[in-house]
Amino acid sequence: MTEEISAKRLKTSPPVIGTHNGHFHADEALAVYLLRLLPTYNPSQLVRTRDPSLLSTCHTVVDVGGEYSPANNRYDHHQRTFNSTFPNRSTKLSSAGLVYLHFGKPIISQLTKLAEDSTEVSVIWEKMYADFIEALDAHDNGISAYDTEALKASGVQKRFSDHGINLGSLVGDLNANWDEPEQDPQKPQEAEDARFLEASALMGTTFVRKLEYYHRTWLPARSVVHASFAARKQYDSRGRIMVLERSVPWKDHLYSLETSESPEDKVAYVLYPEGPHEGAKWRIQAVSVTKDSFESRKPLPEAWRGVRDEKLDEVCGIEGCVFVHASGFIGGNKSWEGVKRMAEKALEM
């Protein structure tokens, strides 16, 4: 269900937010924080209970109550009939995703001062869901990032254990341990609520930091990468070299732009200056096969890898070389002409 309920239409002041007590998770911790970012919910009282009579007095209820009804400000996802997803995504929503679906754009507008109906807010709204919220939805609903049957059939095994460390597990660690003495035996719910607020702050501040990055850094880089991508064929007739006027986050934007390109026309190397000052050294970076892959489409030549300075000049026959990483994913040169020649020669090898 994609119906949007504008926070401006909410009338209760200050509204009471309800969620369940007991063991808490990342999704409702974030959902509560997100609501409180909006003027309508700031300040707002939080009630943590599973008592239906108490929940019925709350203006907005998240992650409990067995009801999803935006018109009634009810955002639970545990009912058997629930199967709502974010637009153009397949992961079932949790309470975090539900609140973000309905209130994400007003929140982004509130924090960035961009118009709620602007293209920029829509772009950030979709990006924040794909890169942050969706993983929380999947975690809470027990959905693996991989097709478990296909993974099992492939025989792929982990090289090491990451012990499941993620935001969900960090929130889980804030719950009291089974043998942990109560901080205040006379007020056990207050102690639990304090832990929940700590978890909510962890999730919320992480969300805000991510949003600040996408607004102030990632989004402005979009136009830079678009311009560089459009001009790439002036450096290589097949468009395999892209030159950035300055170092910006480029990977997301490049992969998005390439969706309409044939494989042989994909960018192999991205060149950019190390800093904004005149005379800055230049970098050459091999584009990875996918955004999260360590495998490059075309690593820098094997003979160059792990070699530095004058020795590298001799090996590749180009002046001003600084280094090439041992894996061949990145290298450097003292000048624009030098790094450009490195890219051209690497394409020939």
Side-chain angles (χ1 to χ4, degrees), residues 204-215:
T205 54
T206 302
F207 173 89
V208 171
R209 283 197 302 271
K210 296 285 281 185
L211 177 56
E212 288 176 347
Y213 167 77
Y214 286 124
H215 173 222

Side-chain angles (χ1 to χ4, degrees), residues 267-324:
V267 175
Y269 301 119
V270 175
L271 315 183
Y272 54 87
E274 290 185 3
H277 57 279
E278 187 176 350
K281 295 176 182 178
W282 281 74
R283 290 288 178 97
I284 174 172
Q285 187 167 344
V287 178
S288 54
V289 175
T290 63
K291 185 182 72 169
D292 300 316
S293 171
F294 289 109
E295 180 185 357
S296 299
R297 291 173 176 172
K298 187 171 179 57
L300 292 168
E302 195 279 333
W304 301 2
R305 301 175 199 173
V307 186
R308 299 185 61 88
D309 305 319
E310 291 82 3
K311 181 63 176 177
L312 183 55
D313 289 359
E314 296 175 14
V315 172
C316 65
I318 301 170
E319 292 185 0
C321 292
V322 178
F323 79 101
V324 170

Side-chain angles (χ1 to χ4, degrees), residues 61-258:
V61 176
V62 300
D63 208 47
V64 69
E67 180 183 3
Y68 171 41
S69 172
N72 295 316
N73 302 308
R74 293 314 189 248
Y75 301 97
D76 194 14
H77 66 107
H78 294 99
Q79 49 273 33
R80 187 172 183 176
T81 57
F82 181 88
N83 58 8
S84 295
T85 62
F86 195 81
N88 302 314
R89 311 297 293 190
S90 60
T91 302
K92 187 167 74 169
L93 298 173
S94 68
S95 63
L98 280 172
V99 168
Y100 185 76
L101 174 67
H102 294 282
F103 298 95
K105 287 184 179 180
I107 289 168
I108 294 168
S109 177
Q110 173 75 21
L111 296 183
T112 64
K113 308 307 178 186
L114 296 169
E116 186 178 330
D117 60 354
S118 66
T119 299
E120 291 85 354
V121 165
S122 291
V123 169
I124 295 174
W125 181 64
E126 293 175 359
K127 182 63 175 173
M128 283 289 291
Y129 182 79
D131 280 15
F132 184 61
I133 306 291
E134 185 169 24
L136 302 176
D137 288 342
H139 181 269
D140 198 73
N141 284 304
I143 301 171
S144 174
Y146 301 95
D147 181 330
T148 53
E149 291 302 317
L151 192 64
K152 187 187 300 183
S154 71
V156 174
Q157 299 290 328
K158 276 189 173 183
R159 291 180 175 175
F160 60 89
S161 174
D162 58 12
H163 299 286
I165 297 174
N166 51 44
L167 278 175
S169 70
L170 294 177
V171 167
D173 289 343
L174 292 173
N175 284 281
N177 294 319
W178 67 271
D179 59 347
E180 190 171 333
E182 295 178 355
Q183 295 179 356
D184 187 347
Q186 303 303 315
K187 301 178 180 179
Q189 188 59 57
E190 289 184 17
E192 183 185 282
D193 289 350
R195 287 176 175 271
F196 175 84
L197 291 178
E198 185 179 353
S200 187
L202 169 64
M203 294 303 303
T205 54
T206 302
F207 173 89
V208 171
R209 283 197 302 271
K210 296 285 281 185
L211 177 56
E212 288 176 347
Y213 167 77
Y214 286 124
H215 173 222
R216 297 178 180 177
T217 303
W218 179 86
L219 191 61
R222 191 166 175 253
S223 59
V224 175
V225 177
H226 278 230
S228 298
F229 186 79
R232 72 195 188 285
K233 289 189 178 180
Q234 74 183 66
Y235 305 105
D236 174 69
S237 61
R238 291 171 56 186
R240 296 170 293 173
I241 299 173
M242 187 173 78
V243 181
L244 299 172
E245 62 186 38
R246 50 183 170 159
S247 178
V248 299
W250 53 266
K251 286 189 175 182
D252 280 342
H253 305 302
L254 174 61
Y255 292 122
S256 176
L257 285 165
E258 284 186 332

